[in-house]
Amino acid sequence: QVTDQISYGVDRFDPVMLHGQNLYNLWGWSFMRGEPDQAAYERLIVLQSEKRIYFFLSVNNARPDVQALFNDLHLDLINTGFSAYISKDVIEPGTYHIGILVKYQANGKIYYTVTDKRIIRTPNKLHLLSP
């Protein structure tokens, strides 16, 4: 279900070396507006082109800046940061829209939004594009 209930920000896309692998780490934050228990949701990063779609697990990170920015919402947003490791070797060349898929763990209901950012896979690397 595509929704506008997800607030998000895609902050950085950094090349990293992890366990001998050249990867990219996508950093950002997202949360379900109006939801008091953000921990009830699992988040995946989606890369989607016209021909292909890829899903990447993300891990939660503390984001006190997000909590401060949206303090007027009176929600616990401290752990709304995410990071996801992406390998260029598993992605075919092309342009991919970055999406955020949020799954409510209690009943499996899925929410989805497409961000305003894209990743381009060239023969040699990945690039983050902003609008």
Side-chain angles (χ1 to χ4, degrees):
Q1 175 181 348
V2 176
T3 183
D4 61 358
Q5 283 183 274
I6 301 173
S7 291
Y8 67 86
V10 176
D11 297 331
R12 295 188 346 241
F13 191 58
D14 303 321
V16 296
M17 177 70 76
L18 183 68
H19 305 299
Q21 283 190 300
N22 291 314
L23 303 173
Y24 290 81
N25 195 355
L26 182 68
W27 299 85
W29 56 269
S30 70
F31 64 88
M32 292 290 292
R33 283 195 299 280
E35 175 57 57
D37 185 10
Q38 297 294 318
Y41 293 88
E42 177 183 22
R43 182 175 37 230
L44 288 94
I45 302 304
V46 180
L47 299 183
Q48 184 172 4
S49 72
E50 290 181 10
K51 297 179 181 178
R52 293 180 175 77
I53 187 166
Y54 299 96
F55 297 89
F56 298 91
L57 291 175
S58 70
V59 295
N60 292 340
N61 298 312
R63 290 293 300 258
D65 59 323
V66 174
Q67 182 69 62
L69 183 63
F70 295 100
N71 202 37
D72 60 323
L73 297 180
H74 306 290
L75 298 173
D76 180 5
L77 302 176
I78 196 70
N79 288 313
T80 55
F82 65 78
S83 65
Y85 291 107
I86 298 171
S87 170
K88 74 172 178 63
D89 297 331
V90 301
I91 299 172
E92 293 291 323
T95 301
Y96 296 86
H97 292 276
I98 300 173
I100 300 172
L101 185 144
V102 179
K103 180 180 174 186
Y104 185 57
Q105 294 177 0
N107 63 12
K109 188 168 184 179
I110 293 174
Y111 303 89
Y112 181 69
T113 193
V114 178
T115 73
D116 58 351
K117 308 277 179 147
R118 292 173 292 149
I119 289 177
I120 293 183
R121 163 69 158 96
T122 66
N124 297 321
K125 60 196 265 184
L126 296 173
H127 303 277
L128 178 65
L129 292 181
S130 296

